[in-house]
């Protein structure tokens, strides 16, 4: 006799079960009652997973990959945190000389937000490796201040992965710094080329995949409101 309580499901099995139910609903003609039963089963599986979930944990979040949207996705989390009344810090490792529009837009939250654009542009623009190294070191020191400060709920380290990829920072020192953060603090690290050790340490990793890009495919320059 089938129990009214859903069986225990491993997280991977739960994902497979939900996918199967969705596929069945999409691929077959369902009566209203059959549809209701399948959606009820899906709700039971999801409720079971949520009931077992950890209530709260400070996350290490990595947005990487060659596709566009790494910083944009991180700024969405920044906006969400500001909306909850949390204090947020942003440190930009590469951008800075551009005076990006994000800095102006977020100026409305000056009581909640610390914004430090500490880079001077990309390496082909600065053409001074020693200065780039100094700027990256200074940005990392500023980042550590916010990582260790319990008043800040979220810290965004924008384009730090590029600084790591170029050897301006060592992944070991970044991992050591992240290990110091309060248990409830979230830290987002963006930029292509995130090193494997950082990906291994992270709680949430998203890789943006490039499919088409207007500059690469059509020669369209970076545009206000889209790229900056």
């Amino acid at each position: 006799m089938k129990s009214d309580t859903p069986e225990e499901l491993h997280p991977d099995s739960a994902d497979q079960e939900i996918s199967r139910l969705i596929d069945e609903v999409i691929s077959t003609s369902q009566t209203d009652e059959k549809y209701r039963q399948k959606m009820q089963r899906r709700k039971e599986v999801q409720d079971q997973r949520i009931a077992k979930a950890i209530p709260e944990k400070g996350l290490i979040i990595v947005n990487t990959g060659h596709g566009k949207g790494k910083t944009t996705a991180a700024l969405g989390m920044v906006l969400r945190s500001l909306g909850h009344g949390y204090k947020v810090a942003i440190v930009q490792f590469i951008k800075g000389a551009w005076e990006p529009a994000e800095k102006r837009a977020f100026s409305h939250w000056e009581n909640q937000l610390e914004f430090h654009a500490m880079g001077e542009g990309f390496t082909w623009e600065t053409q001074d490796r020693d200065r780039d190294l100094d700027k990256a070191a200074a940005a990392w020191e500023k980042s550590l201040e916010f990582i260790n400060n319990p008043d800040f709920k979220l810290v965004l380290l924008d384009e730090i992965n590029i600084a790591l990829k170029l050897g301006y920072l060592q992944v070991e020192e970044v991992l050591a710094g992240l290990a110091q953060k309060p248990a409830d603090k979230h830290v987002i690290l963006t930029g292509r080329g995130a090193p494997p050790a950082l990906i291994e340490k992270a709680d949430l990793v998203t890789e943006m995949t490039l499919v088409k890009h207007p500059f690469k495919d059509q020669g369209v320059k970076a545009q206000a409101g889209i790229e900056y």
Side-chain angles (χ1 to χ4, degrees), residues 57-65 69-78 80-81 88-89 91 93 140 147 153-161 164 174-175 178-179 181-192 194-195 197-208:
K57 177 189 177 184
L59 302 177
I60 296 173
I61 301 167
V62 173
N63 291 349
T64 192
K70 297 176 284 292
T71 295
T72 303
L75 291 175
M77 292 187 184
V78 166
R80 188 175 293 135
S81 292
V88 177
V91 180
F93 278 75
W140 176 240
I147 288 172
K153 180 72 170 180
L154 175 69
V155 179
L156 167 56
L157 308 181
D158 188 39
E159 305 288 12
I160 189 174
N161 295 339
L164 287 165
V174 171
L175 292 176
L178 292 173
K181 76 178 185 67
D184 63 345
K185 184 187 297 288
H186 308 302
V187 182
I188 311 174
L189 305 95
T190 72
R192 65 178 62 189
L198 177 59
I199 291 174
E200 177 66 25
K201 179 65 175 177
D203 301 287
L204 172 61
V205 179
T206 300
E207 183 174 5
M208 309 296 186

Coordinates of all heavy atoms in Angstrom, one line a residue, residues 57-65 69-78 80-81 88-89 91 93 140 147 153-161 164 174-175 178-179 181-192 194-195 197-208:
K57 N 23.7 30.1 5.6 CA 25.1 29.9 5.5 C 25.7 31.0 4.7 O 25.2 31.3 3.6 CB 25.5 28.6 4.9 CG 27.0 28.3 4.8 CD 27.3 27.1 4.0 CE 28.8 26.9 3.8 NZ 29.1 25.7 2.9
G58 N 26.8 31.6 5.1 CA 27.5 32.6 4.3 C 28.2 31.9 3.1 O 28.9 30.9 3.3
L59 N 27.9 32.3 1.9 CA 28.4 31.6 0.7 C 29.6 32.3 0.1 O 29.7 33.5 0.1 CB 27.2 31.5 -0.3 CG 25.9 30.9 0.2 CD1 24.9 31.0 -0.9 CD2 26.1 29.4 0.6
I60 N 30.4 31.4 -0.5 CA 31.4 31.9 -1.5 C 30.9 31.6 -2.9 O 30.6 30.5 -3.2 CB 32.8 31.1 -1.2 CG1 33.3 31.5 0.1 CG2 33.8 31.5 -2.3 CD1 34.6 30.7 0.5
I61 N 30.7 32.7 -3.6 CA 30.0 32.6 -4.9 C 31.0 33.0 -6.0 O 31.6 34.0 -5.9 CB 28.8 33.5 -4.9 CG1 27.8 33.1 -3.8 CG2 28.1 33.5 -6.3 CD1 26.7 34.1 -3.5
V62 N 31.1 32.2 -7.1 CA 32.0 32.5 -8.2 C 31.2 32.6 -9.5 O 30.5 31.7 -9.8 CB 33.1 31.4 -8.3 CG1 33.9 31.6 -9.6 CG2 34.0 31.4 -7.1
N63 N 31.3 33.7 -10.1 CA 30.8 33.9 -11.5 C 31.9 34.0 -12.5 O 32.7 34.9 -12.4 CB 29.9 35.2 -11.6 CG 28.7 35.2 -10.8 OD1 28.3 34.1 -10.3 ND2 28.0 36.3 -10.6
T64 N 32.0 33.0 -13.3 CA 33.2 32.9 -14.3 C 32.7 32.5 -15.6 O 31.5 32.5 -15.9 CB 34.2 32.0 -13.7 OG1 35.5 32.1 -14.4 CG2 33.8 30.5 -13.7
G65 N 33.6 32.2 -16.6 CA 33.3 31.9 -17.9 C 33.5 33.0 -18.9 O 33.7 34.1 -18.5
G69 N 27.9 38.8 -18.5 CA 26.9 38.8 -17.4 C 27.4 38.5 -16.1 O 26.6 38.4 -15.1
K70 N 28.7 38.3 -15.9 CA 29.2 37.9 -14.6 C 29.1 39.0 -13.5 O 28.5 38.7 -12.5 CB 30.7 37.5 -14.7 CG 30.9 36.3 -15.7 CD 32.4 36.0 -15.9 CE 33.1 37.0 -16.8 NZ 32.6 36.8 -18.2
T71 N 29.5 40.2 -13.9 CA 29.3 41.3 -13.0 C 27.9 41.7 -12.8 O 27.4 42.0 -11.7 CB 30.1 42.5 -13.4 OG1 31.5 42.2 -13.4 CG2 29.9 43.7 -12.6
T72 N 27.1 41.6 -13.9 CA 25.7 42.0 -13.9 C 24.9 41.1 -13.0 O 24.1 41.6 -12.2 CB 25.1 41.9 -15.3 OG1 25.9 42.7 -16.2 CG2 23.7 42.3 -15.3
A73 N 25.2 39.8 -13.0 CA 24.5 38.9 -12.1 C 24.9 39.2 -10.6 O 24.0 39.2 -9.7 CB 24.9 37.5 -12.4
A74 N 26.2 39.5 -10.4 CA 26.6 39.8 -9.0 C 25.9 41.1 -8.5 O 25.5 41.2 -7.4 CB 28.1 40.0 -9.0
L75 N 25.8 42.1 -9.4 CA 25.2 43.4 -9.0 C 23.7 43.2 -8.7 O 23.1 43.9 -7.9 CB 25.4 44.4 -10.1 CG 26.8 44.9 -10.3 CD1 26.9 45.9 -11.5 CD2 27.3 45.6 -9.0
G76 N 23.1 42.2 -9.3 CA 21.7 41.8 -8.9 C 21.6 41.4 -7.5 O 20.7 41.7 -6.8
M77 N 22.6 40.6 -7.1 CA 22.6 40.2 -5.7 C 22.9 41.3 -4.7 O 22.4 41.4 -3.6 CB 23.7 39.1 -5.5 CG 23.4 37.8 -6.1 SD 24.6 36.5 -5.7 CE 24.0 35.1 -6.7
V78 N 23.8 42.2 -5.2 CA 24.0 43.5 -4.4 C 22.7 44.2 -4.2 O 22.4 44.7 -3.1 CB 25.1 44.3 -5.1 CG1 25.1 45.7 -4.5 CG2 26.5 43.7 -5.1
R80 N 19.7 43.2 -4.4 CA 18.8 42.4 -3.5 C 19.2 42.6 -2.0 O 18.3 42.8 -1.1 CB 18.8 41.0 -3.9 CG 17.8 40.1 -3.2 CD 17.8 38.7 -3.7 NE 17.4 38.6 -5.1 CZ 18.0 38.0 -6.1 NH1 19.1 37.3 -5.8 NH2 17.6 38.0 -7.3
S81 N 20.5 42.5 -1.7 CA 20.9 42.7 -0.3 C 20.7 44.1 0.2 O 20.3 44.3 1.3 CB 22.5 42.4 -0.3 OG 22.7 41.0 -0.5
V88 N 26.7 46.5 2.2 CA 27.4 45.8 1.1 C 28.7 46.6 0.7 O 28.7 47.8 0.8 CB 26.5 45.7 -0.1 CG1 27.2 45.0 -1.3 CG2 25.2 44.9 0.2
A89 N 29.7 45.8 0.3 CA 30.9 46.4 -0.2 C 31.3 45.9 -1.5 O 31.1 44.7 -1.8 CB 32.1 46.2 0.8
V91 N 34.5 45.9 -4.4 CA 35.8 46.3 -4.7 C 36.0 45.8 -6.1 O 35.9 44.7 -6.4 CB 36.9 45.7 -3.8 CG1 38.3 46.1 -4.2 CG2 36.6 46.1 -2.3
F93 N 38.6 45.2 -9.2 CA 40.0 45.0 -9.3 C 40.6 45.5 -10.6 O 41.8 45.9 -10.7 CB 40.3 43.5 -9.2 CG 40.4 43.1 -7.7 CD1 39.3 42.9 -7.0 CD2 41.6 42.8 -7.1 CE1 39.3 42.5 -5.6 CE2 41.7 42.4 -5.8 CZ 40.6 42.3 -5.0
W140 N 43.2 44.1 -2.9 CA 43.0 42.9 -2.0 C 43.1 43.3 -0.5 O 42.3 42.8 0.3 CB 44.1 41.9 -2.3 CG 44.0 40.7 -1.4 CD1 45.0 40.2 -0.6 CD2 42.9 39.8 -1.2 NE1 44.6 39.1 0.1 CE2 43.3 38.8 -0.2 CE3 41.6 39.7 -1.7 CZ2 42.4 37.8 0.2 CZ3 40.8 38.7 -1.3 CH2 41.2 37.8 -0.4
I147 N 35.9 41.9 4.2 CA 35.7 40.4 4.5 C 35.7 40.2 6.0 O 34.9 39.4 6.5 CB 36.8 39.6 3.8 CG1 36.5 39.5 2.3 CG2 36.8 38.1 4.3 CD1 37.6 38.9 1.5
K153 N 27.3 42.4 5.2 CA 26.7 41.1 4.9 C 27.2 40.5 3.6 O 27.4 39.3 3.4 CB 25.2 41.3 4.8 CG 24.4 40.0 4.5 CD 24.4 39.1 5.7 CE 23.4 37.9 5.5 NZ 23.4 37.0 6.7
L154 N 27.5 41.4 2.6 CA 27.9 40.9 1.3 C 29.1 41.7 0.8 O 29.1 42.9 0.9 CB 26.7 41.1 0.3 CG 27.0 40.7 -1.2 CD1 27.2 39.2 -1.4 CD2 25.8 41.2 -2.1
V155 N 30.1 41.0 0.2 CA 31.2 41.7 -0.4 C 31.4 41.1 -1.8 O 31.4 39.9 -2.0 CB 32.5 41.4 0.4 CG1 33.7 42.1 -0.2 CG2 32.4 41.8 1.9
L156 N 31.4 42.1 -2.8 CA 31.6 41.7 -4.2 C 33.1 42.1 -4.6 O 33.5 43.3 -4.5 CB 30.6 42.5 -5.1 CG 30.9 42.5 -6.6 CD1 31.0 41.0 -7.1 CD2 29.8 43.2 -7.3
L157 N 33.8 41.1 -5.0 CA 35.2 41.3 -5.5 C 35.1 41.2 -7.0 O 35.3 40.1 -7.6 CB 36.1 40.3 -4.9 CG 36.1 40.2 -3.3 CD1 37.1 39.1 -2.8 CD2 36.3 41.5 -2.7
D158 N 34.9 42.3 -7.7 CA 34.6 42.3 -9.1 C 35.9 42.1 -9.9 O 36.9 42.9 -9.7 CB 33.9 43.6 -9.5 CG 33.4 43.5 -10.9 OD1 32.9 42.5 -11.4 OD2 33.5 44.6 -11.6
E159 N 36.0 41.2 -10.8 CA 37.1 40.9 -11.7 C 38.3 40.4 -11.0 O 39.4 40.4 -11.5 CB 37.5 42.1 -12.6 CG 36.3 42.7 -13.4 CD 35.9 41.8 -14.6 OE1 36.4 40.7 -14.6 OE2 35.1 42.3 -15.4
I160 N 38.2 39.9 -9.7 CA 39.3 39.4 -9.0 C 39.9 38.1 -9.7 O 41.1 37.8 -9.7 CB 39.0 39.1 -7.5 CG1 40.3 38.8 -6.8 CG2 38.0 38.0 -7.4 CD1 40.1 38.6 -5.3
N161 N 39.0 37.4 -10.4 CA 39.5 36.2 -11.1 C 40.5 36.5 -12.2 O 41.4 35.7 -12.4 CB 38.3 35.4 -11.7 CG 37.3 34.9 -10.6 OD1 37.7 34.7 -9.5 ND2 36.1 34.6 -11.0
L164 N 43.8 37.1 -10.5 CA 44.4 35.8 -10.2 C 44.9 35.1 -11.5 O 46.0 34.6 -11.4 CB 43.3 34.9 -9.6 CG 42.9 35.2 -8.1 CD1 41.6 34.5 -7.8 CD2 44.0 34.8 -7.2
V174 N 44.2 34.4 -1.4 CA 42.8 34.7 -1.5 C 42.0 33.7 -0.7 O 41.1 34.0 0.0 CB 42.3 34.8 -3.0 CG1 40.8 34.9 -3.1 CG2 43.0 36.0 -3.7
L175 N 42.3 32.4 -0.9 CA 41.6 31.4 -0.1 C 41.8 31.5 1.4 O 40.9 31.4 2.2 CB 42.1 30.0 -0.5 CG 41.7 29.6 -2.0 CD1 42.3 28.2 -2.3 CD2 40.2 29.5 -2.1
L178 N 39.5 34.3 2.5 CA 38.1 33.9 2.5 C 37.8 33.0 3.7 O 36.7 33.1 4.3 CB 37.8 33.1 1.2 CG 37.8 33.9 -0.1 CD1 37.6 33.0 -1.3 CD2 36.7 35.0 0.0
A179 N 38.9 32.3 4.2 CA 38.7 31.5 5.4 C 38.5 32.3 6.6 O 38.0 31.8 7.6 CB 39.9 30.6 5.5
K181 N 36.5 34.9 6.9 CA 35.2 35.6 6.9 C 34.2 35.1 7.9 O 34.3 33.9 8.3 CB 34.5 35.5 5.5 CG 33.9 34.2 5.2 CD 33.2 34.2 3.8 CE 32.4 32.9 3.5 NZ 31.3 32.8 4.4
P182 N 33.4 36.0 8.5 CA 32.4 35.5 9.4 C 31.5 34.5 8.8 O 31.3 34.5 7.5 CB 31.6 36.8 9.7 CG 32.5 37.9 9.5 CD 33.4 37.4 8.4
A183 N 30.9 33.6 9.6 CA 30.1 32.4 9.0 C 28.9 32.8 8.2 O 28.5 32.1 7.3 CB 29.7 31.5 10.2
D184 N 28.4 34.0 8.5 CA 27.1 34.4 7.8 C 27.4 35.4 6.6 O 26.4 35.9 6.0 CB 26.1 35.0 8.7 CG 26.6 36.3 9.4 OD1 27.9 36.6 9.3 OD2 25.8 37.0 10.0
K185 N 28.6 35.7 6.3 CA 29.0 36.6 5.2 C 29.0 36.0 3.9 O 29.6 34.9 3.7 CB 30.3 37.3 5.5 CG 30.6 38.4 4.5 CD 32.0 39.0 4.7 CE 32.2 39.6 6.1 NZ 31.5 40.9 6.2
H186 N 28.5 36.6 2.8 CA 28.6 36.2 1.5 C 29.7 37.0 0.7 O 29.8 38.2 0.9 CB 27.2 36.4 0.7 CG 26.1 35.8 1.4 ND1 26.0 34.5 1.8 CD2 24.9 36.4 1.9 CE1 24.8 34.3 2.4 NE2 24.2 35.4 2.5
V187 N 30.5 36.3 -0.1 CA 31.5 36.9 -0.9 C 31.3 36.4 -2.3 O 31.3 35.2 -2.6 CB 32.9 36.6 -0.4 CG1 34.0 37.3 -1.2 CG2 33.1 37.0 1.1
I188 N 31.2 37.4 -3.3 CA 31.1 37.0 -4.7 C 32.4 37.4 -5.4 O 32.9 38.5 -5.2 CB 30.0 37.8 -5.3 CG1 28.7 37.7 -4.5 CG2 29.7 37.3 -6.8 CD1 27.5 38.5 -5.1
L189 N 32.9 36.5 -6.2 CA 34.2 36.7 -6.9 C 33.9 36.5 -8.4 O 33.4 35.5 -8.8 CB 35.3 35.7 -6.5 CG 35.6 35.7 -5.0 CD1 34.8 34.6 -4.3 CD2 37.1 35.5 -4.8
T190 N 34.1 37.6 -9.2 CA 33.7 37.5 -10.6 C 34.9 37.6 -11.5 O 36.0 37.9 -11.1 CB 32.8 38.7 -11.0 OG1 33.5 39.9 -11.0 CG2 31.6 38.8 -10.0
G191 N 34.7 37.2 -12.8 CA 35.8 37.3 -13.8 C 36.0 36.0 -14.4 O 35.9 34.9 -13.8
R192 N 36.4 36.0 -15.7 CA 36.7 34.7 -16.4 C 38.0 34.1 -15.8 O 38.8 34.8 -15.2 CB 36.9 35.0 -17.9 CG 38.0 35.9 -18.3 CD 38.1 36.1 -19.8 NE 36.9 36.7 -20.3 CZ 36.6 36.8 -21.6 NH1 37.5 36.3 -22.5 NH2 35.6 37.4 -22.0
A194 N 38.5 31.7 -13.5 CA 38.6 31.4 -12.0 C 39.4 30.1 -11.9 O 39.2 29.1 -12.5 CB 37.2 31.2 -11.4
P195 N 40.4 30.1 -11.0 CA 41.3 29.0 -10.8 C 40.5 27.8 -10.2 O 39.6 28.0 -9.4 CB 42.4 29.5 -9.9 CG 41.8 30.6 -9.1 CD 40.8 31.3 -10.1
A197 N 41.2 25.8 -7.8 CA 41.2 25.7 -6.3 C 40.1 26.6 -5.7 O 39.5 26.3 -4.7 CB 42.5 26.2 -5.7
L198 N 39.8 27.7 -6.4 CA 38.8 28.6 -5.9 C 37.4 28.0 -6.3 O 36.5 28.1 -5.4 CB 38.9 30.0 -6.6 CG 37.8 31.0 -6.3 CD1 37.7 31.3 -4.8 CD2 38.0 32.3 -7.1
I199 N 37.3 27.4 -7.4 CA 36.0 26.7 -7.8 C 35.7 25.6 -6.8 O 34.6 25.4 -6.4 CB 36.1 26.2 -9.2 CG1 36.1 27.4 -10.2 CG2 35.0 25.3 -9.5 CD1 36.3 27.0 -11.6
E200 N 36.8 24.9 -6.4 CA 36.6 23.8 -5.5 C 36.1 24.3 -4.1 O 35.2 23.7 -3.5 CB 37.9 23.0 -5.3 CG 37.9 21.9 -4.3 CD 37.0 20.8 -4.7 OE1 36.8 20.6 -5.9 OE2 36.5 20.0 -3.8
K201 N 36.6 25.4 -3.7 CA 36.2 26.0 -2.4 C 34.8 26.6 -2.4 O 34.2 26.6 -1.3 CB 37.3 27.1 -2.0 CG 37.0 27.7 -0.7 CD 37.1 26.8 0.5 CE 37.0 27.5 1.8 NZ 37.0 26.5 3.0
A202 N 34.4 27.1 -3.5 CA 33.1 27.9 -3.6 C 31.9 27.0 -3.3 O 31.9 25.8 -3.5 CB 33.0 28.5 -5.0
D203 N 30.9 27.7 -2.8 CA 29.6 27.0 -2.6 C 28.7 27.1 -3.8 O 27.8 26.2 -4.0 CB 28.9 27.7 -1.4 CG 29.7 27.7 -0.1 OD1 29.8 26.6 0.5 OD2 30.2 28.7 0.3
L204 N 28.8 28.2 -4.6 CA 28.0 28.4 -5.7 C 28.9 28.9 -6.9 O 29.6 29.9 -6.7 CB 26.9 29.4 -5.4 CG 26.0 29.9 -6.6 CD1 25.2 28.7 -7.2 CD2 25.1 31.0 -6.1
V205 N 28.9 28.1 -8.0 CA 29.7 28.5 -9.1 C 28.8 28.5 -10.4 O 28.1 27.5 -10.7 CB 30.9 27.5 -9.4 CG1 31.7 27.9 -10.6 CG2 31.7 27.4 -8.1
T206 N 28.9 29.6 -11.1 CA 28.1 29.8 -12.4 C 29.1 30.1 -13.5 O 29.9 31.0 -13.3 CB 27.1 30.9 -12.3 OG1 26.1 30.5 -11.2 CG2 26.3 31.0 -13.6
E207 N 29.1 29.3 -14.5 CA 29.9 29.6 -15.7 C 29.1 30.2 -16.8 O 28.2 29.5 -17.3 CB 30.6 28.3 -16.2 CG 31.6 28.6 -17.3 CD 32.4 27.4 -17.7 OE1 32.2 26.3 -17.1 OE2 33.3 27.5 -18.6
M208 N 29.4 31.4 -17.2 CA 28.6 32.1 -18.3 C 29.2 31.6 -19.6 O 30.4 31.7 -19.9 CB 28.8 33.6 -18.2 CG 28.4 34.2 -16.9 SD 26.7 33.9 -16.4 CE 26.6 34.9 -14.9

